[in-house]
Amino acid sequence: MSFEIAAESYDRFMGRYSRHLSAQLAELAGVAAPQRALDVGCGPGALTGELVRRLGAEAVSAVDPSERFVAAVRERQPQVTVERAVAEQLPFPDRSFDAVLAQLVVHFMDDPLAGLREMARVTRPGGTLAACVWDHAAGGQGPLSAFFRASHELDPAAPAESERAGAQQGQLGELFRAAGIGEVRETVLIASVVHPSFEEWWEPFTLGVGTIGAFMDALDDAGRARLRELCREALPPEPFTVKARAWAARGVAN
């Protein structure tokens, strides 16, 4: 999936939730100085910033396939080594890092097993790998669940992410084990975000991000208005809290 969108748009759409996962994922991976760490699929840099806080910028590297996200992280974290690359082809030698993390990325990899194996390749033996994916299963508790329920009420053929790799309980751990990663442990991460109004929650869905943006663009004015009302009906009275769940896994490189 392409994310050639402005970093600020992604921040408003998903960053408002994902930044609440970064410290939890880094803690799960045991990230601490003097380690060297890699952020795979860094996006605009939510996790990158947490790794810098823990390790210092010179100990952190990051990759993302989006040219605009790479540029954003280079501007926000000028001392971090940031490369444009996909997870399946990391531009680093074997055993380069003590910790390799992928926040909300595995389900977007073209080949998740190849991506995880590549992450393990660049991790030193005994080093840590960690990843998380939103609970996008049907009836799940991800940050987009209310939108997905409303969009499927409007159009049963609307896109969803329930079939993406790792989006259902237990799948991420299975992928880790299949990739040859050892000592796999699974857990749950929670992001709780207070929305002061429905409009504040809704507006980022209009910014053209990912498959949701493409779906919204394809609707006519009446369809968008109906979807908006279905979303409003699916949410509690304002202000309201979205408590989003992410599946997470941690393992050790062999």
Side-chain angles (χ1 to χ4, degrees):
M1 177 184 294
S2 173
F3 282 99
E4 290 300 340
I5 56 172
E8 293 76 14
S9 294
Y10 186 83
D11 287 337
R12 288 161 62 191
F13 176 73
M14 186 54 70
R16 55 184 174 167
Y17 302 109
S18 62
R19 65 175 178 266
H20 295 277
L21 300 180
S22 298
Q24 298 177 66
L25 188 64
E27 193 68 22
L28 178 65
V31 174
Q35 293 177 338
R36 296 187 67 245
L38 172 64
D39 182 359
V40 176
C42 60
L47 177 60
T48 309
E50 177 63 25
L51 297 177
V52 168
R53 188 184 70 79
R54 291 169 177 251
L55 304 177
E58 294 183 355
V60 176
S61 297
V63 299
D64 198 275
S66 166
E67 185 174 356
R68 298 180 81 171
F69 286 173
V70 168
V73 178
R74 285 174 176 165
E75 181 177 353
R76 295 172 179 183
Q77 302 287 351
Q79 292 181 294
V80 170
T81 299
V82 189
E83 303 289 347
R84 187 180 183 193
V86 296
E88 295 89 342
Q89 294 179 301
L90 296 174
F92 303 103
D94 295 357
R95 306 179 176 187
S96 295
F97 301 97
D98 302 290
V100 178
L101 300 86
Q103 178 169 294
L104 307 177
V105 172
V106 171
H107 56 315
F108 291 129
M109 293 179 184
D110 289 337
D111 186 337
L113 271 180
L116 288 170
R117 287 173 179 145
E118 186 72 346
M119 288 170 60
R121 178 187 67 79
V122 301
T123 307
R124 66 165 178 80
T128 304
L129 298 102
C132 64
V133 173
W134 289 124
D135 174 15
H136 284 317
Q141 297 178 33
L144 308 179
S145 293
F147 181 92
F148 285 144
R149 286 193 290 270
S151 63
H152 277 259
E153 184 174 346
L154 179 72
D155 178 1
E161 297 185 350
S162 59
E163 299 306 315
R164 289 189 178 275
Q168 302 190 43
Q169 187 174 14
Q171 288 183 340
L172 198 54
E174 291 173 3
L175 285 167
F176 267 52
R177 295 181 187 95
I181 299 167
E183 300 179 34
V184 177
R185 177 164 64 91
E186 297 175 74
T187 189
V188 171
L189 310 181
I190 299 292
S192 293
V193 177
V194 177
H195 294 279
S197 69
F198 173 79
E199 295 300 334
E200 182 270 343
W201 176 89
W202 168 257
E203 188 269 343
F205 287 94
T206 69
L207 299 177
V209 179
T211 55
I212 284 178
F215 175 71
M216 293 275 284
D217 288 344
L219 295 174
D220 58 19
D221 290 344
R224 281 190 290 273
R226 177 58 179 154
L227 177 59
R228 184 177 181 279
E229 289 310 306
L230 288 170
C231 286
R232 185 188 290 276
E233 292 169 7
L235 292 165
E238 54 192 38
F240 57 89
T241 300
V242 172
K243 189 175 183 181
R245 177 169 64 189
W247 309 119
R250 174 193 186 277
V252 175
N254 298 313

